[in-house]
Amino acid sequence: MRGLTMPHVRFTHLLGFAFLVAVLAASAAHAHHGWAWATDEEFEITGTIQSMRLGNPHGEVTIDVDGEAWVVEVGQPWRNDRVGLSKEILSVGREMTVHGHRSAKEGERLVKAERIVIDGTNYDLYPGRDS
């Protein structure tokens, strides 16, 4: 590495590392967050809660719909808390209607919930979106 000073070499390596980190962070965020994986059409499904996991990055509830397991993505912990979705509300055996958007992947039984109805009560996870 003739002709290059040590500070120049360090700066070049640091710049390359920063670019790599930025690319990886952007691709990871795009792969998971947002609605890009779901269809644009509104979707509604009703089933019986089989299992539930609340937490980060978002909660998941598995419901039985005519013998098929569907995974419903509910909100992040703060979003669930804001609308009153708790472990007690999402308990096993309760009937749940989900309004949202299903996966665009053929055959995948996955729904991103915008609004949930349990025992006649609406839990509007995304009040700014039409659902």
Side-chain angles (χ1 to χ4, degrees), residues 26-90:
S27 64
H30 178 72
H32 180 79
H33 296 285
W35 298 73
W37 59 267
T39 63
D40 289 333
E41 298 89 35
E42 291 291 326
F43 181 73
E44 179 179 295
I45 194 166
T46 299
T48 304
I49 298 174
Q50 300 299 302
S51 65
M52 169 269 311
R53 181 199 58 79
L54 296 180
N56 287 308
H58 52 75
E60 291 183 352
V61 179
T62 301
I63 61 174
D64 179 277
V65 181
D66 298 326
E68 294 183 328
W70 283 76
V71 175
V72 178
E73 285 191 0
V74 294
Q76 303 91 336
W78 65 268
R79 190 178 301 275
N80 294 331
D81 290 344
R82 185 189 71 199
V83 300
L85 275 181
S86 64
K87 290 180 179 182
E88 293 76 30
I89 298 294
L90 296 169

